[in-house]
Amino acid sequence: MEQQEEEARMHKAEFDPSEIEYVSYGGEHHLPLIMNLVDQELSEPYSIFTYRYFVYLWPHLSFLAFHKGKCVGTVVCKMGEHRSTFRGYIAMLVVIKPYRGRGIATELVTRSIKVMMESGCEEVTLEAEVTNKGALALYGRLGFIRAKRLFRYYLNGVDAFRLKLLFPCPEIHPSLSMMADRVESHGHHDHIALEECPEHHHIS
Protein backbone atom coordinates (compact mmCIF):
# COMPACT_ATOMS: atom_id res chain seq x y z
CA MET A 1 0.00 0.00 0.00
CA GLU A 2 2.79 2.45 0.89
CA GLN A 3 4.53 1.63 -2.38
CA GLN A 4 1.32 2.34 -4.31
CA GLU A 5 0.87 5.65 -2.53
CA GLU A 6 4.47 6.61 -3.29
CA GLU A 7 4.03 5.73 -6.96
CA ALA A 8 0.85 7.78 -7.08
CA ARG A 9 2.67 10.80 -5.65
CA MET A 10 5.44 10.43 -8.21
CA HIS A 11 2.98 10.40 -11.10
CA LYS A 12 0.95 13.42 -9.98
CA ALA A 13 0.27 15.93 -12.75
CA GLU A 14 1.74 19.39 -12.32
CA PHE A 15 -0.88 22.05 -12.91
CA ASP A 16 -2.44 25.15 -11.46
CA PRO A 17 -6.07 24.76 -10.33
CA SER A 18 -6.99 27.73 -12.51
CA GLU A 19 -6.04 25.65 -15.56
CA ILE A 20 -8.93 23.23 -14.99
CA GLU A 21 -12.02 24.04 -17.04
CA TYR A 22 -15.42 22.65 -16.02
CA VAL A 23 -18.16 22.27 -18.63
CA SER A 24 -21.59 20.69 -18.66
CA TYR A 25 -22.34 17.85 -21.06
CA GLY A 26 -22.52 19.41 -24.48
CA GLY A 27 -23.63 16.64 -26.81
CA GLU A 28 -22.53 13.50 -28.62
CA HIS A 29 -18.90 14.66 -28.91
CA HIS A 30 -18.58 14.43 -25.12
CA LEU A 31 -19.93 10.88 -24.86
CA PRO A 32 -16.73 9.05 -25.94
CA LEU A 33 -14.72 11.15 -23.49
CA ILE A 34 -16.97 10.11 -20.61
CA MET A 35 -17.00 6.47 -21.69
CA ASN A 36 -13.22 6.25 -22.04
CA LEU A 37 -12.66 7.87 -18.68
CA VAL A 38 -15.11 5.66 -16.82
CA ASP A 39 -14.02 2.46 -18.57
CA GLN A 40 -10.42 3.12 -17.52
CA GLU A 41 -11.19 3.59 -13.86
CA LEU A 42 -14.33 1.66 -12.95
CA SER A 43 -14.66 -1.74 -11.36
CA GLU A 44 -18.17 -2.05 -12.83
CA PRO A 45 -18.71 -2.42 -16.60
CA TYR A 46 -21.26 -0.24 -18.38
CA SER A 47 -22.76 -0.53 -21.84
CA ILE A 48 -23.16 2.42 -24.20
CA PHE A 49 -26.91 2.24 -23.54
CA THR A 50 -26.28 2.98 -19.85
CA TYR A 51 -24.25 6.06 -20.68
CA ARG A 52 -26.83 7.31 -23.15
CA TYR A 53 -29.63 6.75 -20.66
CA PHE A 54 -28.00 9.22 -18.28
CA VAL A 55 -26.56 11.87 -20.61
CA TYR A 56 -29.53 12.01 -23.00
CA LEU A 57 -32.18 12.32 -20.29
CA TRP A 58 -30.20 14.44 -17.81
CA PRO A 59 -27.43 16.21 -19.75
CA HIS A 60 -27.56 19.16 -17.36
CA LEU A 61 -26.49 16.88 -14.48
CA SER A 62 -23.30 15.66 -16.16
CA PHE A 63 -20.07 17.66 -16.07
CA LEU A 64 -16.56 17.21 -17.43
CA ALA A 65 -13.23 18.62 -16.27
CA PHE A 66 -10.54 19.50 -18.83
CA HIS A 67 -6.87 20.37 -18.50
CA LYS A 68 -5.42 21.93 -21.62
CA GLY A 69 -7.96 20.13 -23.78
CA LYS A 70 -7.59 16.75 -22.08
CA CYS A 71 -10.61 15.31 -20.24
CA VAL A 72 -9.40 14.43 -16.73
CA GLY A 73 -12.65 13.97 -14.79
CA THR A 74 -16.40 13.55 -15.12
CA VAL A 75 -19.57 13.13 -13.10
CA VAL A 76 -22.78 11.53 -14.42
CA CYS A 77 -26.10 11.79 -12.56
CA LYS A 78 -29.86 11.52 -12.86
CA MET A 79 -32.93 12.59 -10.92
CA GLY A 80 -36.57 11.60 -10.65
CA GLU A 81 -39.38 10.38 -8.45
CA HIS A 82 -38.54 7.60 -6.00
CA ARG A 83 -41.14 6.45 -3.49
CA SER A 84 -42.88 9.84 -3.42
CA THR A 85 -39.54 11.65 -3.09
CA PHE A 86 -37.89 13.68 -5.86
CA ARG A 87 -34.37 12.37 -5.67
CA GLY A 88 -31.03 12.94 -7.35
CA TYR A 89 -28.61 10.08 -7.92
CA ILE A 90 -24.85 10.23 -8.57
CA ALA A 91 -24.07 7.31 -10.87
CA MET A 92 -20.44 7.88 -11.83
CA LEU A 93 -17.66 10.11 -10.54
CA VAL A 94 -14.19 9.69 -12.00
CA VAL A 95 -10.93 11.63 -11.92
CA ILE A 96 -7.86 10.07 -13.51
CA LYS A 97 -5.06 9.20 -11.10
CA PRO A 98 -2.52 11.95 -11.90
CA TYR A 99 -5.16 14.61 -11.19
CA ARG A 100 -6.55 13.30 -7.91
CA GLY A 101 -6.11 15.10 -4.63
CA ARG A 102 -6.62 18.59 -6.07
CA GLY A 103 -10.36 19.09 -5.59
CA ILE A 104 -11.55 18.22 -9.09
CA ALA A 105 -13.95 15.52 -7.92
CA THR A 106 -15.34 17.83 -5.24
CA GLU A 107 -15.97 20.53 -7.81
CA LEU A 108 -17.60 18.18 -10.30
CA VAL A 109 -20.01 16.62 -7.83
CA THR A 110 -20.81 19.98 -6.24
CA ARG A 111 -21.91 21.38 -9.59
CA SER A 112 -24.26 18.43 -10.13
CA ILE A 113 -25.68 18.71 -6.61
CA LYS A 114 -26.31 22.42 -7.09
CA VAL A 115 -28.39 21.72 -10.22
CA MET A 116 -30.32 19.04 -8.33
CA MET A 117 -31.04 21.50 -5.52
CA GLU A 118 -32.25 24.12 -7.99
CA SER A 119 -34.41 21.50 -9.73
CA GLY A 120 -36.29 20.70 -6.54
CA CYS A 121 -34.62 17.48 -5.40
CA GLU A 122 -35.27 16.63 -1.77
CA GLU A 123 -32.25 14.35 -1.45
CA VAL A 124 -29.26 12.91 -3.31
CA THR A 125 -28.04 9.32 -3.06
CA LEU A 126 -25.22 7.14 -4.36
CA GLU A 127 -23.39 3.91 -3.59
CA ALA A 128 -19.70 3.75 -2.69
CA GLU A 129 -17.47 0.80 -1.88
CA VAL A 130 -16.90 0.45 1.86
CA THR A 131 -13.14 0.28 1.15
CA ASN A 132 -13.02 3.55 -0.82
CA LYS A 133 -11.88 5.85 1.97
CA GLY A 134 -11.26 8.79 -0.34
CA ALA A 135 -14.78 8.83 -1.73
CA LEU A 136 -16.37 8.29 1.68
CA ALA A 137 -14.35 11.21 3.05
CA LEU A 138 -15.29 13.49 0.15
CA TYR A 139 -19.01 12.81 0.44
CA GLY A 140 -18.80 13.05 4.22
CA ARG A 141 -17.42 16.57 3.88
CA LEU A 142 -20.38 17.48 1.70
CA GLY A 143 -22.86 16.27 4.32
CA PHE A 144 -23.71 12.77 3.08
CA ILE A 145 -24.57 10.17 5.71
CA ARG A 146 -24.28 6.39 5.52
CA ALA A 147 -27.90 5.31 5.22
CA LYS A 148 -27.40 1.59 4.59
CA ARG A 149 -24.80 -1.12 4.04
CA LEU A 150 -25.36 -3.24 0.92
CA PHE A 151 -23.66 -6.60 1.20
CA ARG A 152 -21.72 -7.91 -1.82
CA TYR A 153 -23.19 -5.09 -3.88
CA TYR A 154 -20.49 -5.05 -6.56
CA LEU A 155 -19.45 -7.72 -9.03
CA ASN A 156 -16.11 -8.02 -7.23
CA GLY A 157 -17.97 -9.04 -4.05
CA VAL A 158 -17.23 -5.84 -2.11
CA ASP A 159 -19.92 -4.28 0.10
CA ALA A 160 -21.24 -0.79 -0.53
CA PHE A 161 -22.55 2.02 1.59
CA ARG A 162 -25.62 3.83 0.34
CA LEU A 163 -24.91 7.48 1.04
CA LYS A 164 -27.62 10.11 1.30
CA LEU A 165 -27.70 13.90 1.39
CA LEU A 166 -30.92 15.61 2.50
CA PHE A 167 -31.97 19.14 1.47
CA PRO A 168 -31.98 21.73 2.83
CA CYS A 169 -29.21 21.33 5.34
CA PRO A 170 -26.62 24.11 4.89
CA GLU A 171 -25.56 23.77 8.51
CA ILE A 172 -24.49 20.18 7.80
CA HIS A 173 -22.50 20.83 4.66
CA PRO A 174 -21.27 24.46 4.68
CA SER A 175 -18.59 23.65 2.10
CA LEU A 176 -21.32 22.69 -0.37
CA SER A 177 -23.21 25.93 0.22
CA MET A 178 -20.03 27.98 -0.07
CA MET A 179 -18.99 26.31 -3.29
CA ALA A 180 -22.49 26.58 -4.75
CA ASP A 181 -22.37 30.31 -4.11
CA ARG A 182 -19.02 30.54 -5.85
CA VAL A 183 -20.32 28.60 -8.85
CA GLU A 184 -23.29 30.98 -9.02
CA SER A 185 -21.08 34.04 -8.93
CA HIS A 186 -18.46 32.80 -11.41
CA GLY A 187 -20.60 30.93 -13.92
CA HIS A 188 -20.05 27.60 -15.70
CA HIS A 189 -16.41 27.97 -16.66
CA ASP A 190 -14.73 29.22 -13.51
CA HIS A 191 -11.85 27.23 -12.10
CA ILE A 192 -12.44 26.13 -8.52
CA ALA A 193 -10.51 23.30 -6.92
CA LEU A 194 -10.97 22.62 -3.23
CA GLU A 195 -10.19 19.78 -0.84
CA GLU A 196 -8.96 16.28 -1.51
CA CYS A 197 -10.22 14.44 -4.58
CA PRO A 198 -10.66 10.66 -4.48
CA GLU A 199 -11.02 8.27 -7.33
CA HIS A 200 -14.42 7.14 -8.58
CA HIS A 201 -16.84 6.45 -5.77
CA HIS A 202 -17.33 2.85 -6.92
CA ILE A 203 -13.70 1.75 -6.60
CA SER A 204 -10.99 1.76 -3.96
Side-chain angles (χ1 to χ4, degrees):
M1 179 64 71
E2 292 181 359
Q3 182 178 356
Q4 291 178 344
E5 292 177 352
E6 180 62 28
E7 290 177 354
R9 284 193 291 270
M10 291 176 62
H11 291 89
K12 286 290 185 182
E14 295 295 330
F15 65 94
D16 189 278
S18 65
E19 297 173 355
I20 304 299
E21 180 184 20
Y22 299 93
V23 300
S24 58
Y25 181 79
E28 191 75 16
H29 64 289
H30 277 160
L31 184 57
L33 301 178
I34 294 175
M35 292 177 61
N36 291 337
L37 209 62
V38 174
D39 289 345
Q40 288 177 31
E41 303 294 338
L42 276 193
S43 58
E44 298 287 288
Y46 291 103
S47 72
I48 188 171
F49 303 105
T50 301
Y51 292 104
R52 283 180 169 157
Y53 167 72
F54 285 103
V55 300
Y56 285 9
L57 294 179
W58 301 277
H60 56 304
L61 297 181
S62 296
F63 292 87
L64 301 90
F66 290 89
H67 180 232
K68 297 182 177 179
K70 176 183 179 181
C71 185
V72 300
T74 188
V75 63
V76 177
C77 308
K78 70 171 185 175
M79 61 184 179
E81 291 289 338
H82 179 80
R83 297 179 182 175
S84 74
T85 300
F86 194 58
R87 183 165 84 173
Y89 179 75
I90 301 171
M92 311 169 199
L93 174 63
V94 180
V95 174
I96 61 175
K97 288 183 176 66
Y99 288 83
R100 294 175 188 166
R102 301 292 296 275
I104 296 174
T106 298
E107 176 64 16
L108 285 167
V109 75
T110 298
R111 286 171 179 259
S112 292
I113 292 174
K114 180 176 182 291
V115 176
M116 294 176 193
M117 292 174 66
E118 293 174 343
S119 301
C121 285
E122 301 167 66
E123 63 183 34
V124 180
T125 66
L126 63 103
E127 290 82 34
E129 287 190 3
V130 297
T131 55
N132 193 340
K133 296 180 180 178
L136 295 174
L138 182 152
Y139 289 112
R141 287 194 297 270
L142 294 178
F144 284 80
I145 61 171
R146 300 178 185 181
K148 187 177 183 180
R149 184 166 183 143
L150 307 170
F151 294 97
R152 300 183 63 83
Y153 181 80
Y154 296 103
L155 294 178
N156 59 10
V158 174
D159 295 353
F161 284 123
R162 176 160 294 144
L163 306 180
K164 182 178 292 188
L165 175 67
L166 302 176
F167 299 141
C169 49
E171 71 281 358
I172 297 178
H173 51 97
S175 61
L176 177 60
S177 299
M178 178 187 70
M179 293 178 69
D181 290 341
R182 293 179 65 179
V183 171
E184 181 70 27
S185 62
H186 289 273
H188 249 339
H189 299 279
D190 61 322
H191 311 289
I192 307 170
L194 301 176
E195 304 180 287
E196 180 184 3
C197 153
E199 54 193 298
H200 181 275
H201 59 239
H202 282 179
I203 57 180
S204 58

